[in-house]
Amino acid sequence: MSDDRISSTTRALESAASSAGMWISGDGRVTEADAAALLGLAPGTLANLRGAEIAPTHYRTGRVTYRIADLAHWIEAHRAVRIAASLERKP
């Protein structure tokens, strides 16, 4: 997993969040509903992933929030797994 790819994904998520008018904290966190939207998931699905401890790193400070950089890292970590699995299946 490349730092350049994570940085690029972080910038894309920040841009998408800003364009959508999402609240972004000073340290780059978004609400759980907004994080789910950025990931293309239903909020309940993200909550279930969090409960199963397989979601991106989250923060609970009165409400659950996610750092955009952590979302980008999670996306790229799962991308690498899918690509590796895809390559293993090819004859």
Side-chain angles (χ1 to χ4, degrees):
M1 175 173 25
S2 147
D3 286 342
D4 288 340
R5 183 170 288 282
I6 293 170
S7 294
S8 176
T9 301
T10 299
R11 286 190 303 277
L13 291 173
E14 288 170 341
S15 176
S18 181
S19 293
M22 295 176 179
W23 170 82
I24 303 173
S25 71
D27 62 349
R29 289 177 293 121
V30 295
T31 66
E32 184 163 43
D34 289 344
L38 291 170
L39 294 172
L41 301 172
T45 300
L46 182 55
N48 288 340
L49 292 173
R50 181 173 36 83
E53 299 182 356
I54 55 175
T57 301
H58 69 281
Y59 300 83
R60 187 182 302 271
T61 56
R63 64 180 172 171
V64 175
T65 58
Y66 294 83
R67 282 181 53 233
I68 292 174
D70 291 336
L71 298 178
H73 191 274
W74 189 80
I75 288 168
E76 293 306 325
H78 286 83
R79 177 184 182 278
V81 169
R82 287 191 300 269
I83 290 172
S86 170
L87 292 175
E88 289 174 5
R89 285 181 269 185
K90 290 186 179 180

